[in-house]
Amino acid sequence: MASPVILPGSTLGVLGGGQLGRMFAMAAREMGYHIRALDPDPKCAARFSVEELIVARFDDIHATSWLASQSHVVTLEIEQIAGECLERAAQIVPVRPGPAAMQIIRDRIEQKTFLAKHVPVGPFHVVRSEQEMAAALTHVGPRCFVKIASGGYDGRGQIETNAASTASSIWEQIGGPCVVEKALPIEAELSVLVARAPSGEVQVYPPARNHHEARILTWSVLPAPIEPRLEQRAREIAREIATALGIEGLLCVELFLVAGDLLVNELAPRPHNSYHASVLGCVTSQFEQHVRAVCNLPLGQTDMMRPAAIYNLLGDIWEPAAPAFDRALALPGVRVHLYGKAVARPGRKMGHLSATAPSANEAVERVQQAYALLTGASGGT
Ligand code: ADP
Ligand code: MG
């Protein structure tokens, strides 16, 4: 039976109240939906943009069931929701993305194994013991990325090894089942966002070009200035994975360009930091698309209106005092988006700068310039 459309006026439940939940809620409220969120932190970023915040852990079955019973559909903005919670909620209302897709994505070992069956990935080994760690290092070489199976994000739960690292020290440090990947000579990092509705409709965004520092996204631009062959290939990969997973909602595919070809790094079943520029640059923002996809509405067009870039603002630059936002805002076309987080910590994503420009490269230059002004790195007054 075809899934019914969930019309404006209905209530959307969102698991997770971080910045992605906050921006999802803002888009949903603009379209006339009501929003309830669940997050363990009463001061989470989404607290002011939702009508009700349920303060509970992501493994609280009772609280998740209650959220489901008070919503017409449940979605999520974070991977680390316990499988039993999603399953219980799915007995009450549609959960999008559903428990089956989330089970594959949540665990890096399952995700990587799934990806390797469908699309090109870099060399990797699944490791569950010190002996397997030693075997993996002999296969992939001493320079690798060791990634914990569950719970890692923004480079956390990861170790970059070198010739001095030993199997026992890495195993001790990582502390559990993990994936050992060969360190790749990456020419560029890209991502591609795809939306899939329960109706089966699929829409793919133009790929984004992403720049990471210390394994955290620094800036990102849409569209990625890449040759049409790669753009086409990125779109095909995204469509293939979304269809194979039967995802309902959004799926962001992170890609590495290595030796002129694309390898899939990892998946995120939700809005993604690298598509914040879609808010200014695309006909339909990723957050509106998320709403449309989980409500089984017709998906929005993904075309670019104008190239756009974002630059992440991490908690580090709140030391010793809040950044000089007025300086950045003096630049034409530059916007500041802050997530309303109560405490700034090093490495914590507090907000981003964004700008549009006639070309992708100019958009990047604009946000870089704004960032330099904001942090005083330019030496300006
Ligand atoms: P996270 O879940 O923290 O985003 P990722 O697997 O995406 O974890 O890794 C974060 C970043 O670390 C990547 O965007 C990339 O810059 C770098 N990285 C990860 N894996 C590799 C690899 N195999 N080779 C080289 N760089 C990598
Ligand atoms: Mg990543």
Side-chain angles (χ1 to χ4, degrees):
M1 203 181 73
S3 301
V5 171
I6 297 166
L7 288 169
S10 308
T11 300
L12 315 183
V14 55
L15 295 164
Q19 64 266 25
L20 303 174
R22 174 187 170 99
M23 291 184 267
F24 167 79
M26 284 157 60
R29 293 192 71 176
E30 204 172 293
M31 294 173 79
Y33 289 94
H34 300 286
I35 298 284
R36 288 201 161 81
L38 181 151
D39 195 277
D41 179 4
K43 291 190 173 150
C44 67
R47 70 195 183 285
F48 294 127
S49 60
V50 299
E51 284 150 281
E52 188 191 357
L53 176 69
I54 299 161
V55 179
R57 284 161 47 123
F58 294 137
D59 60 359
D60 186 331
I61 294 195
H62 180 71
T64 317
S65 304
W66 196 82
L67 175 79
S69 70
Q70 302 300 307
S71 309
H72 293 94
V73 61
V74 167
T75 187
L76 51 90
E77 59 107 56
I78 183 166
E79 286 87 328
Q80 306 313 326
I81 311 289
E84 308 86 73
C85 289
L86 295 180
E87 274 156 27
R88 180 67 70 83
Q91 290 166 1
I92 304 168
V93 282
V95 174
R96 298 173 177 152
M102 288 309 297
Q103 197 186 334
I104 296 172
I105 296 173
R106 190 185 305 111
D107 183 304
R108 213 182 262 275
I109 295 177
E110 289 215 29
Q111 188 191 120
K112 206 76 180 184
T113 311
F114 166 86
L115 285 172
K117 283 188 205 141
H118 291 91
V119 286
V121 297
F124 74 99
H125 273 255
V126 171
V127 166
R128 298 179 200 273
S129 67
E130 190 183 322
Q131 288 72 23
E132 286 180 5
M133 180 65 76
L137 295 180
T138 38
H139 279 104
V140 298
R143 281 220 54 229
C144 40
F145 282 75
V146 180
K147 305 179 181 177
I148 192 89
S150 62
Y153 70 100
D154 286 346
R156 291 169 220 201
Q158 275 192 33
I159 306 167
E160 240 181 286
T161 68
N162 54 42
S165 317
T166 63
S168 68
S169 69
I170 302 167
W171 177 248
E172 196 176 316
Q173 214 184 325
I174 198 78
C178 55
V179 170
V180 175
E181 295 178 16
K182 188 181 179 64
L184 299 164
I186 298 173
E187 289 152 35
E189 294 199 43
L190 306 172
S191 53
V192 56
L193 182 71
V194 54
R196 186 175 173 279
S199 66
E201 185 187 358
V202 172
Q203 289 286 347
V204 187
Y205 279 81
R209 162 95 202 260
N210 307 321
H211 176 73
H212 291 76
E213 282 171 23
R215 300 197 296 258
I216 303 182
L217 185 71
T218 305
W219 57 256
S220 177
V221 66
L222 277 171
I226 49 173
E227 47 184 295
R229 172 186 72 89
L230 289 175
E231 189 199 325
Q232 200 44 44
R233 182 69 191 123
R235 286 174 183 265
E236 270 168 29
I237 287 174
R239 193 175 276 274
E240 213 165 303
I241 302 173
T243 312
L245 274 174
I247 198 103
E248 293 177 340
L250 297 182
L251 182 75
C252 189
V253 182
E254 293 184 14
L255 299 160
F256 294 150
L257 180 64
V258 177
D261 271 320
L262 295 177
L263 300 175
V264 175
N265 173 36
E266 62 164 351
L267 305 176
R270 50 166 172 80
H272 195 261
N273 194 174
S274 64
Y275 276 83
H276 289 352
S278 67
V279 174
L280 286 185
C282 297
V283 176
T284 310
S285 80
Q286 63 167 342
F287 301 107
E288 179 180 334
Q289 196 74 300
H290 187 182
V291 175
R292 286 178 181 238
V294 301
C295 292
N296 203 22
L297 288 166
L299 296 177
Q301 284 179 274
T302 52
D303 311 53
M304 296 301 311
M305 294 191 294
R306 193 167 148 87
I310 63 112
Y311 201 112
N312 272 338
L313 303 175
L314 302 182
D316 311 59
I317 61 169
W318 265 252
E319 277 294 324
F325 295 111
D326 51 329
R327 291 201 215 165
L329 287 170
L331 280 182
V334 168
R335 297 183 63 192
V336 171
H337 191 135
L338 295 177
Y339 308 144
K341 294 189 182 177
V343 185
R345 281 191 296 269
R348 190 175 197 203
K349 290 174 181 168
M350 302 298 290
H352 62 266
L353 298 171
S354 54
T356 62
S359 72
N361 289 334
E362 284 165 280
V364 174
E365 275 164 27
R366 232 169 240 192
V367 288
Q368 283 174 328
Q369 206 183 348
Y371 184 77
L373 284 172
L374 187 80
T375 53
S378 68
T381 53

